[in-house]
Amino acid sequence: MKGLFLKLSFFLILVITTQSIFAQRLDSLLNKLDSAYPQEKIYLHFDRPYYNPGETIWFKAYLTSGNLPSLISKNIYAELIDTKGKILQRKVMPVIEAGASSSFDLPDTLSNTLLYVRAYTAWMLNFDSSLLYVKPIRIINSSHVVKKPMIISSYSLHFFPEGGDLILSVNSRVAFKANDQDGTPFTVTGNILNDKGNKIASFSSMHDGMGYFSFTPQRGVAYKAVWKDKKGLPHETPLPDAKTEGVGLSVNNSTSSISFTLTRPDSASSDFTSYYVVAQMQQQLLYSAIVNMSRKTTVTASIPTDSLPDGVVQLTVFNAAQLPVAERIVFINHANYYFITDLHAIEKNITKRGHNTLQVDVGGSLISNLSIAVTDESLNPQQPEREENIFSNLLLTSDIKGSVYNPDYYFSSDEDSIKQQLDLVMMTNGWRRFKWEDLLANKWPQINYLPEHYLSIKGEVYGLTKNLLAGQELTGILKAKGSGSKILSLPINKDGTFKADGVSFFDTAHLFYQFNNDKDKKLTSIASILFDKSYVQPPAVFSFSSNTVLEPDSSTARKNKIKTNLLRQDFFAGTVKTLKEVTVTTRQKTIQEKMDDEYTSGFFSGGDDISFINQDNEFAKSAPDVLTYLQGKVAGLQVYLIDPGSISWRGSTTSLYLNQMAADINELKSISMNDVAMIKVFRPPFLGDFGAPSVGSSNSGAGTISSSSGGAGGAIAVYTKNGNDITSTAQGLDFALINGYSAIKEFYSPDYSANSTPQLNDYRSTLYWNPFLIMDKTTRRITIPFYNSDNCKKIRVVIEGINEMGQLTREEKVFE
């Protein structure tokens, strides 16, 4: 008897120890997944959901990781793709405050009626391609008649046992979802019958074709659902077969906790009497527990959720054999996922070309990054049944398998009824980010693409021996289009490769180069130097589904076609001119505008800046250097010249640039004002500060390069005269053409203050677009003036954004 007790005690200790080790392993796997394989998500805010040929698709990308602004990638790629998978256009954008923006110009001869926009980072290409952002865009083409095939209506009813499986003799909830061939839900009712035709249960959809019922499957009995579609036609759908062994999982999601119940059959093998329950969110372990069911057939426990962030939680049950046997996803909603943006029209004038002014307010002191689209509501009305927004994408659809009808609805209110309906979505969909089976088998993603730190200049040297390559480096002079030059050092590795990260410029640049200290160009003349492309190649095109295309209703489509036809009539009549062309011819450019055109590009062009032109400025020429000249010139800008020197604004370090290339304080100190053409001082926050060094102090007493301030301290951009800059030293050097970020197209909004009736028609669909409204502790309010078009009677305004804590915002209003 004593020996039997000792054996039983040893067995229990072994079981407990084994389970404890398994618990530690799961925790370790999640930690590795989170630290080595963090996942990013992208959402795109478009100015409109559908377009006409000849128009511009404006968009703003938001990048997150773990429901926080992503710090992983600094480049975002966006592609315009046709239905055959051909990439029509590609944009490369720098990430600024978790956002990036660009545009696609549609040819006026475009015959396509459907296009797709795909967006991703290089890091995202290491994971499942289905996780890339894809958005179908409908093109309303008046010259092309779409011959729609005759669609035969079909209806489907799918069943989803809670936890994943039906278990014999265990009462289970079974969720269901009814959809037609387009993914549109319909109301359904029916009965569950056994193989003898007896009614076991009845069911009726509760919301958007979804609902659930409960029943207990018995051994040797088959079950089917009998139901009718929208046309009243009868259908039969078999229920999934029940498993002999397993565990039933039932979840109740309340305000402060997730209550879960495990239920097993009366008889079970040793593998199914002990379980390990884990809950994770965004690859972070939230909860773990060992559940001993050797003497109980039902166990209930709770997971406190008061302190958890909002989002999808994955609850998984493992058996004693360490296999996942049940799973359920739950959405935590404490209404903490958003911050409030107030939108008001402080001046409203819906008449022809009337002047309007919007006011945008954000409370608190966090940095917020917003985008705003102002459109003609008659050409871009609300269609909530199909629309997706920043809430539904980043918090819901990007994390779960399966399509969600009207995802925006589940974030339209904090009412309990909507939360309960969202739980139906959780019961009829699954987790998509990773599979536990792969983690337990140590199947990790293969990393082929490292995170990009802005652009890189890389390549390889051929034709030299290892001895000749030892200790060599290339000296490069990067001359970007529309800006100044920058000297780069490119150390060469033993294998002949070289690479410089953190480079940023727009459009194209010439890189003049030679080996360092190669006065007679001996090495340069015998070596072959090949430069690689600055960014990753597009991934293989995959198939797209058109079920989620946002279609305009017949009235909206007709109005858009009329607008397109009017534009074409004006064109053939010779009366069409672009608004920008008309405005430019009404006045001469100022000296500052001319200097901007000659010297600046990208985010340095225009902007909220104070410019100092050195032309005929005797006081500026008398200053010994740039920093001395700037002292006391700009209110709020603090310039300290005593070594090591510092420049700050609003308590944050100011970013420094020389000819639009990141510089340190010593470089600016060394520049004579006689060599300066223009200085631009950008008020905080400065959007162009992606990867720029800022000035700090060190014990050595010299100016040092520290991490970027994120533009919170504004920026100073110094431009040297074109005749005196460092490109004069590049004469006679070999050069390569390097691609930079996609050129920025500025959204043009006409100014009718001088002349409200010029000789042209204004058919604009988008009245105003701004992808970067940056708020911080000192800028909490922004006013936006714009003019109405000729025909707009209702103005629709949509604002979306994210703050530095990962909270999201969306505000939509229609003014009439």
Side-chain angles (χ1 to χ4, degrees), residues 589-638:
K589 290 185 178 181
T590 64
I591 294 177
Q592 180 176 337
E593 289 173 333
K594 291 179 180 178
M595 295 289 282
D596 254 17
D597 289 344
E598 181 178 356
Y599 285 91
T600 68
S601 64
F603 289 103
F604 294 87
S605 180
D608 187 14
D609 69 279
I610 303 168
S611 295
F612 299 94
I613 311 298
N614 204 16
Q615 180 179 337
D616 300 326
N617 188 337
E618 295 302 325
F619 176 77
K621 294 177 182 178
S622 67
D625 57 60
V626 171
L627 300 186
T628 303
Y629 172 73
L630 285 176
Q631 275 192 313
K633 285 287 192 299
V634 180
L637 183 68
Q638 303 295 320

Side-chain angles (χ1 to χ4, degrees), residues 11-63:
F11 174 75
L12 291 175
I13 293 173
L14 179 63
V15 170
I16 294 172
T17 302
T18 302
Q19 290 177 334
S20 178
I21 293 174
F22 181 60
Q24 294 174 9
R25 184 186 176 202
L26 291 180
D27 192 15
S28 176
L29 290 173
L30 280 178
N31 285 334
K32 180 177 179 179
L33 188 66
D34 181 58
S35 60
Y37 307 96
Q39 301 221 0
E40 292 181 308
K41 294 187 281 188
I42 287 180
Y43 165 75
L44 265 57
H45 175 199
F46 294 89
D47 63 319
R48 287 178 288 137
Y50 29 75
Y51 298 85
N52 303 292
E55 293 185 327
T56 298
I57 299 175
W58 302 95
F59 63 90
K60 163 74 171 289
Y62 291 94
L63 181 64

Side-chain angles (χ1 to χ4, degrees), residues 402-442:
S403 62
V404 179
Y405 183 80
N406 190 11
D408 175 34
Y409 168 78
Y410 301 103
F411 299 91
S412 62
S413 171
D414 295 328
E415 295 180 3
D416 289 340
S417 59
I418 293 183
K419 292 181 180 179
Q420 293 169 3
Q421 291 162 352
L422 178 55
D423 199 50
L424 291 175
V425 176
M426 298 292 100
M427 294 179 70
T428 54
N429 291 274
W431 178 253
R432 68 184 300 199
R433 287 282 161 182
F434 67 86
K435 295 180 180 179
W436 275 113
E437 292 87 346
D438 291 340
L439 266 62
L440 292 169
N442 281 315

